C-alpha cells in the first residue's frame, strides 16, 4: 500500500513538472497570440466592409443564414391567417454579373386557425342536418429545399428578384380542436409539396431583407378522413426574412 502511494506521488510530481515546462511564460504568450489571431481571422471573415450593388463578379460565392416570420393559411377551408417562424441558410453562386443561383435549406411553421368542420347527416325523420365541429388549429412543420434564380436588374442598386422551385417535406402535422383532442394528421396528407416562389430583396451592408410569396398548387389531403376535415385545402405562405450575407470567394 505504501509503495503504491509513493508511486502515485512520484507520478504526479513528474506530471506537474512537465506541465510547468510546457506552459511556461513563453509558450503561454505564444498560445494566447495564436488564439487572438484566430479570432481576428474569424472576425474578418464574418464582418466585411461591403457596399452591395447590383453588379458582381462571375463565380462570386456567398453564404447566408436567415430568420424571419411567415403568414400562412389553407385556401380551400375557411380559416384564419396563422403567424409562424422561418429559419434558413443558403449558398449563392453568381453565374453572370447580375444573375445568381441559390440553393437553400429552410424550416417553416405553417397552417391555419379557426377552422370549422361541417358534417352533413340526416336525423331519425330523414331530414338533412349539418353539424359543426371546431374550431381547429392546424400546425404544419416543413423542411424545405429551395432552388432559386436571383436577378439584379439595376447595376447601381442592391435590389434583387427571385423565383425558382420550392419543395417541401412535412415533418409534423397536427389538427387540434379547441378544448378537444390533438389529432396527428401527418399520414393523412401528402408528405411532399411544391410551390413557385416569388421574392424581392434589398441589401444593406451585409444584411438582406427579403419578402417572398410561395404559390402552392397541390391539395394536401390524401385520405378520405383528411378530405372530410380539410376538403381541398392547400398551403399558402408569405414570408419576410432577415439574412446576413458572407462573401466566401
Amino acid at each position: 500500500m505504501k509503495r503504491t502511494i509513493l508511486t502515485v506521488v512520484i507520478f504526479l510530481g513528474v506530471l506537474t513538472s512537465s506541465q510547468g515546462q510546457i506552459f511556461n511564460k513563453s509558450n503561454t504568450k505564444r498560445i494566447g497570440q495564436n488564439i487572438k489571431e484566430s479570432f481576428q481571422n474569424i472576425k474578418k471573415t464574418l464582418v466585411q466592409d461591403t457596399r452591395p450593388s447590383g453588379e458582381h463578379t462571375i463565380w462570386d460565392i456567398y453564404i447566408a443564414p436567415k430568420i424571419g416570420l411567415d403568414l400562412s393559411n389553407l385556401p380551400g377551408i375557411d380559416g384564419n391567417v396563422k403567424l409562424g417562424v422561418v429559419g434558413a441558410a443558403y449558398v449563392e453562386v453568381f453565374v453572370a454579373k447580375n444573375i445568381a443561383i441559390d440553393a437553400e435549406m429552410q424550416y417553416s411553421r405553417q397552417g391555419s386557425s379557426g377552422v370549422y368542420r361541417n358534417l352533413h347527416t340526416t336525423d331519425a325523420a330523414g331530414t338533412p342536418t349539418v353539424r359543426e365541429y371546431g374550431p381547429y388549429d392546424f400546425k404544419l412543420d416543413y423542411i424545405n429545399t429551395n432552388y432559386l434564380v436571383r436577378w439584379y436588374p439595376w447595376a447601381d442598386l442592391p435590389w434583387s428578384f427571385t423565383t425558382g422551385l420550392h419543395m417541401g417535406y412535412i415533418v409534423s402535422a397536427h389538427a387540434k380542436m379547441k378544448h378537444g383532442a390533438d389529432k396527428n394528421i401527418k399520414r393523412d396528407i401528402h408528405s411532399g409539396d411544391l410551390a413557385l416562389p416569388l421574392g424581392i430583396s434589398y441589401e444593406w451592408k451585409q444584411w438582406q431583407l427579403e419578402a417572398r410569396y410561395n404559390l402552392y398548387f397541390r391539395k394536401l389531403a390524401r385520405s378520405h378522413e383528411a378530405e372530410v376535415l380539410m376538403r381541398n385545402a392547400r398551403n399558402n405562405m408569405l414570408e419576410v426574412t432577415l439574412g446576413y450575407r458572407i462573401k466566401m470567394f
Side-chain angles (χ1 to χ4, degrees):
M1 183 66 180
K2 292 181 179 179
R3 183 177 299 175
T4 302
I5 295 174
L6 181 61
T7 303
V8 171
V9 171
I10 294 173
F11 174 76
L12 291 176
V14 171
L15 181 62
T16 304
S17 177
S18 300
Q19 287 179 334
Q21 292 177 4
I22 293 173
F23 294 102
N24 55 36
K25 291 183 179 180
S26 177
N27 288 338
T28 302
K29 185 177 180 180
R30 190 180 301 115
I31 292 171
Q33 201 168 19
N34 289 337
I35 293 174
K36 184 178 179 181
E37 289 176 358
S38 298
F39 276 113
Q40 288 176 343
N41 291 334
I42 293 172
K43 184 178 179 180
K44 287 179 181 178
T45 301
L46 297 179
V47 182
Q48 301 172 350
D49 184 16
T50 60
R51 294 175 178 81
S53 67
E55 189 170 285
H56 296 76
T57 302
I58 298 177
W59 305 124
D60 277 355
I61 298 177
Y62 290 81
I63 63 171
K66 52 192 294 190
I67 192 168
L69 299 172
D70 68 65
L71 294 174
S72 64
N73 65 352
L74 301 173
I77 53 178
D78 296 325
N80 301 323
V81 172
K82 193 176 186 67
L83 181 65
V85 295
V86 177
Y90 69 81
V91 177
E92 181 172 275
V93 180
F94 278 85
V95 295
K97 289 184 177 181
N98 63 341
I99 297 177
I101 303 296
D102 293 14
E104 179 180 276
M105 290 295 296
Q106 180 191 63
Y107 161 80
S108 62
R109 162 65 64 88
Q110 301 168 221
S112 184
S113 61
V115 178
Y116 286 88
R117 174 188 183 187
N118 296 325
L119 291 181
H120 297 268
T121 60
T122 56
D123 58 18
T127 304
T129 61
V130 178
R131 299 185 63 181
E132 187 177 70
Y133 294 88
Y136 285 90
D137 182 14
F138 287 89
K139 295 180 181 179
L140 310 177
D141 294 315
Y142 280 91
I143 296 296
N144 308 305
T145 305
N146 298 316
Y147 298 100
L148 306 171
V149 177
R150 188 179 299 277
W151 173 48
Y152 291 80
W154 303 292
D156 55 342
L157 294 174
W159 288 93
S160 63
F161 298 88
T162 56
T163 189
L165 180 64
H166 170 101
M167 297 185 297
Y169 178 78
I170 191 74
V171 293
S172 176
H174 290 264
K176 187 179 187 308
M177 188 167 68
K178 188 175 182 179
H179 307 305
D182 187 343
K183 180 176 177 57
N184 188 342
I185 59 172
K186 181 180 176 182
R187 294 185 178 181
D188 297 314
I189 65 176
H190 291 288
S191 60
D193 207 352
L194 292 173
L196 175 67
L198 301 168
I200 180 172
S201 67
Y202 179 79
E203 297 171 27
W204 178 74
K205 293 186 177 180
Q206 288 181 255
W207 298 100
Q208 181 185 58
L209 182 65
E210 182 171 21
R212 187 187 302 172
Y213 175 71
N214 292 309
L215 179 62
Y216 293 85
F217 304 99
R218 191 177 192 181
K219 185 177 73 172
L220 290 172
R222 57 180 278 185
S223 69
H224 174 70
E225 186 176 359
E227 286 182 349
V228 172
L229 180 62
M230 305 181 73
R231 299 185 288 279
N232 294 321
R234 66 181 189 276
N235 280 308
N236 188 41
M237 183 173 70
L238 171 67
E239 61 183 80
V240 178
T241 57
L242 181 64
Y244 187 77
R245 289 165 58 85
I246 303 169
K247 185 178 180 182
M248 303 303 295
F249 302 99

